[in-house]
Amino acid sequence: MAIKGEKPSKRTTNPGVRVVGGRIYDSSNGKTCHQCRQKTMDFVASCKAMKKDKQCTINFCHKCLINRYGENAEEVAKLDDWMCPQCRGICNCSFCRKKRGLNPTGILAHKAKASGLASVSMLLEVEGHDNFAYQKKPKLVLKTITQILIFVILAPNDDFMEGSSGNSDSVSGTDVEVADVAKEEKKVVGKSKKAKATHKLKEEIQFEAQLPQGLSLNSVSGIVIPTEEAGNVFQLFEFCSAFGKALDLKEGQAETVVRELFSCGRNTRRQQYCSIIQLMIQLLDLISQDREMSLSLSVSDSSWFTALGEILLQSEFLSDVFPPETFKVGVAEYEKMDASKRLKLLNFVCDESLSTCAMRNCIKSQSTECKANNNEAKRKAATAKEKEKQLKQKLQGDVAKAIMKKNGAPLSIEEHNAILSQIRAEAKEAHDEMMEAKGMAAGTTRICDARRTEPIMVEDNGLVLWKLNCYKEEPNFLLQDLGTFDGLCPHEKWLAFKPEQKPDIENYISYKRRKVMQMQKNTIVEV
């Protein structure tokens, strides 16, 4: 009878036909093996010995018989006088060994084969029955804790702490609810489990991983750049990678811009052929339309440079680097600028364009599309999972039909393996489809490219680990060293890694994440 308040057991008494590993389990038509106590459709050898004018009802499946006793089930099944190991007094199952005052052996088939012996029975004969004793891990004993909890619940005051004798008179009239004690025990067990998990995690991270030494980054996409300009170059590359389609940029246009800036020193190409100015005018035109500025931008005169000065003045950004009078002189002042200043101006225009309605709509559209793709991937994964479930039910029906054709007779080892191979072959396609859908769902669940890229890890010492979409070289990890801040602008450095350092980087990331988990678990245990 179920105890009041206790949840009913989820275990079903008749789970039907199911395939687990290499065995077909059938709660209705299967036969139970005396050794492993599993009710399967495996071929079994039935004992022919007579006990009190009745035939012995013990069966041994072919796997247990060959592994534990070195006997072939199909061969002994043909014998009219075959006696099972129990009737012969050599059974080494856990029940029979306990009856003889011996401990269970546990799994010894692999050890027997490794020792060159044919079976577990032979191993026990050679090394001795007393030399093998499988012991389960002891459960947490709460007897003392329970007694303390009971006393704390019973004690109305702090009499015990003051030296009370603890006799029955001191607790007379107090009702003790067993349910309360059970609750307290459950709390103690919960805390103990959390403490064990924390201790296990501490053991895992006792070896402190180190981030490998990076190399100063002076080349991106085959373009040699100054080390201090790596951050600005990546900023431009990330922008073009995320919004290149919306701006109808050509493939490799960002690389062309950077190559013109740093490979040739000061750009000597005419304005109408300069990719930097063309990209800047395209973005300035987008900004001017959004702000309803009546500007006529031309690549052949100084109009675009003047418009750039007006937008820069409105934003009050970079005023210390580019004073207002810079843009009144004309485009000749731009031609005097070095590559670093030109790149800063271009990145400024890129950032300003993000506030336009066109770009905001683009970000919203990409976010919606990304969310729809993620939902579609999840839907496909759920559909594939349901398909696999239905196929399993169908296969279980096929197994039942095969059994019915033999009028409930046991399947031979060959028939069992044939049905099992058929099940595996038919289930493989559905399983692969489900795993592919799951992998697609896990792989596509990401933030859309239009959203700001977040670092993988930020350290207290000013190190920031990145994985940027625009950086394709292996390993695609980048380390930003912000160093010490001087005023408003940090003197940052960007570092790359060698391909052989990738495992060390991944181990470091894993180590840091486990460390965070440990801190969280410690907080839970303390609470």
Side-chain angles (χ1 to χ4, degrees):
M1 186 177 72
I3 301 173
K4 187 177 180 181
E6 184 180 350
K7 292 183 179 180
S9 175
K10 294 183 179 179
R11 182 176 180 180
T12 175
T13 56
N14 189 12
V17 180
R18 57 204 194 283
V19 179
V20 181
R23 312 187 79 176
I24 302 173
Y25 291 78
D26 189 341
S27 56
S28 300
N29 300 305
K31 289 189 176 182
T32 302
C33 171
H34 174 79
Q35 185 80 35
C36 62
R37 295 187 287 278
Q38 300 297 309
K39 199 171 187 179
T40 68
M41 293 303 299
D42 289 358
F43 183 85
V44 297
S46 300
C47 182
K48 306 295 177 56
M50 302 298 291
K51 292 183 178 181
K52 298 180 180 180
D53 299 330
K54 291 183 180 180
Q55 185 174 332
C56 177
T57 58
I58 290 178
N59 303 307
F60 279 81
C61 70
H62 69 95
K63 289 186 178 180
C64 288
L65 202 58
I66 190 68
N67 289 331
R68 303 289 296 194
Y69 305 98
E71 300 181 27
N72 187 293
E74 289 185 324
E75 291 179 0
V76 299
K78 297 176 182 178
L79 302 177
D80 297 332
D81 57 348
W82 181 75
M83 297 174 62
C84 68
Q86 191 203 42
C87 292
R88 284 179 276 165
I90 61 170
C91 182
N92 54 47
C93 76
S94 59
F95 285 166
C96 292
R97 282 180 64 86
K98 286 180 180 178
K99 288 180 180 178
R100 298 199 299 268
L102 300 172
N103 290 317
T105 65
I107 299 174
L108 289 179
H110 299 294
K111 182 175 178 62
K113 291 180 180 179
S115 302
L117 302 174
S119 64
V120 173
S121 181
M122 190 175 294
L123 177 67
L124 296 175
E125 291 293 333
V126 172
E127 298 193 12
H129 288 265
D130 296 333
N131 292 330
F132 298 96
Y134 171 76
Q135 296 289 342
K136 290 184 178 180
K137 293 182 179 179
K139 295 183 179 180
L140 181 65
V141 179
L142 294 174
K143 183 176 180 181
T144 307
I145 299 175
T146 305
Q147 291 173 347
I148 295 172
L149 289 173
I150 291 174
F151 185 83
V152 171
I153 295 171
L154 292 177
N157 300 310
D158 295 334
D159 295 336
F160 177 74
M161 301 302 295
E162 295 294 328
S164 174
S165 60
N167 55 24
S168 59
D169 295 333
S170 64
V171 295
S172 60
T174 305
D175 295 330
V176 181
E177 293 290 339
V178 177
D180 293 339
V181 177
K183 287 180 181 179
E184 295 299 325
E185 287 184 2
K186 191 176 290 185
K187 288 181 182 178
V188 173
V189 172
K191 289 183 178 180
S192 175
K193 287 182 178 179
K194 290 175 182 176
K196 285 182 178 179
T198 304
H199 180 68
K200 184 179 180 182
L201 197 59
K202 284 181 179 179
E203 290 179 351
E204 289 179 358
I205 65 173
Q206 61 182 354
F207 174 73
E208 184 173 355
Q210 297 290 336
L211 191 65
Q213 187 71 31
L215 304 173
S216 294
L217 192 66
N218 55 14
S219 175
V220 179
S221 299
I223 308 168
V224 178
I225 61 171
T227 305
E228 63 273 11
E229 295 299 329
N232 292 327
V233 171
F234 285 130
Q235 183 179 344
L236 176 64
F237 281 1
E238 283 291 285
F239 175 85
C240 294
S241 174
F243 302 102
K245 187 176 181 181
L247 295 171
D248 197 22
L249 300 180
K250 296 179 181 178
E251 186 177 353
Q253 187 167 342
E255 287 79 0
T256 302
V257 169
V258 174
R259 190 174 289 107
E260 285 184 8
L261 280 171
F262 296 106
S263 296
C264 305
R266 185 176 296 172
N267 186 32
T268 56
R269 300 181 69 181
R270 292 183 178 181
Q271 292 188 44
Q272 57 266 37
Y273 303 115
C274 181
S275 61
I276 307 168
I277 297 177
Q278 289 176 353
L279 177 58
M280 200 174 296
I281 289 176
Q282 182 181 356
L283 296 172
L284 288 171
D285 187 56
L286 185 68
I287 296 169
S288 62
Q289 291 179 10
D290 186 76
R291 299 181 183 181
E292 298 180 354
M293 300 169 63
S294 56
L295 299 176
S296 178
L297 305 178
S298 174
V299 73
S300 59
D301 55 32
S302 301
S303 58
W304 67 270
F305 192 61
T306 305
L308 175 59
E310 291 181 19
I311 295 172
L312 196 64
L313 184 63
Q314 292 175 6
S315 68
E316 298 180 355
F317 185 70
L318 294 177
S319 59
D320 55 335
V321 182
F322 303 101
E325 55 270 17
T326 303
F327 301 92
K328 295 179 181 179
V329 180
V331 74
E333 192 67 26
Y334 176 78
E335 294 175 353
K336 295 178 183 179
M337 295 179 184
D338 59 14
S340 177
K341 287 187 176 181
R342 293 185 183 189
L343 183 57
K344 285 180 181 178
L345 281 176
L346 181 55
N347 280 336
F348 164 75
V349 178
C350 291
D351 289 342
E352 287 294 304
S353 69
L354 294 177
S355 62
T356 62
C357 290
M359 295 297 278
R360 301 307 298 175
N361 290 335
C362 173
I363 294 173
K364 185 178 179 180
S365 175
Q366 285 194 31
S367 298
T368 304
E369 183 181 354
C370 186
K371 185 177 180 180
N373 290 338
N374 290 338
N375 291 337
E376 178 64 16
K378 290 178 182 179
R379 186 192 64 79
K380 286 184 178 180
T383 303
K385 186 176 181 180
E386 181 62 26
K387 181 179 178 181
E388 186 189 35
K389 181 180 178 181
Q390 293 176 358
L391 182 58
K392 282 184 177 180
Q393 293 175 350
K394 175 182 174 296
L395 293 174
Q396 290 171 3
D398 293 343
V399 173
K401 289 178 182 178
I403 296 169
M404 291 175 64
K405 286 181 180 179
K406 297 195 66 176
N407 297 323
L411 300 175
S412 66
I413 298 175
E414 184 179 352
E415 290 171 332
H416 175 272
N417 292 337
I419 292 176
L420 197 61
S421 298
Q422 179 188 354
I423 290 173
R424 284 175 174 170
E426 293 183 12
K428 187 178 185 301
E429 182 180 354
H431 180 71
D432 290 346
E433 184 178 340
M434 183 193 70
M435 295 304 294
E436 182 181 355
K438 280 186 175 181
M440 184 175 64
T444 57
T445 304
R446 56 177 178 81
I447 299 174
C448 70
D449 294 337
R451 297 283 297 275
R452 184 183 297 275
T453 306
E454 297 293 337
I456 298 175
M457 195 172 298
V458 180
E459 299 284 15
D460 296 334
N461 56 1
L463 297 179
V464 184
L465 193 63
W466 295 88
K467 202 170 188 180
L468 302 178
N469 294 329
C470 64
Y471 189 72
K472 304 298 183 183
E473 299 178 28
E474 283 293 331
N476 53 347
F477 292 102
L478 291 168
L479 184 65
Q480 182 186 18
D481 186 0
L482 298 176
T484 57
F485 284 81
D486 184 14
L488 295 177
C489 298
H491 299 284
E492 66 174 18
K493 291 188 297 184
W494 284 79
L495 307 171
F497 299 97
K498 297 178 182 179
E500 57 267 23
Q501 291 177 317
K502 186 175 182 179
D504 295 332
I505 301 170
E506 292 174 342
N507 288 338
Y508 179 77
I509 295 172
S510 178
Y511 159 75
K512 283 293 183 180
R513 288 174 178 169
R514 290 199 304 268
K515 195 171 183 180
V516 172
M517 288 175 59
Q518 179 191 345
M519 293 175 63
Q520 293 174 347
K521 288 182 178 292
N522 287 342
T523 304
I524 294 172
V525 171
E526 288 174 4
V527 172

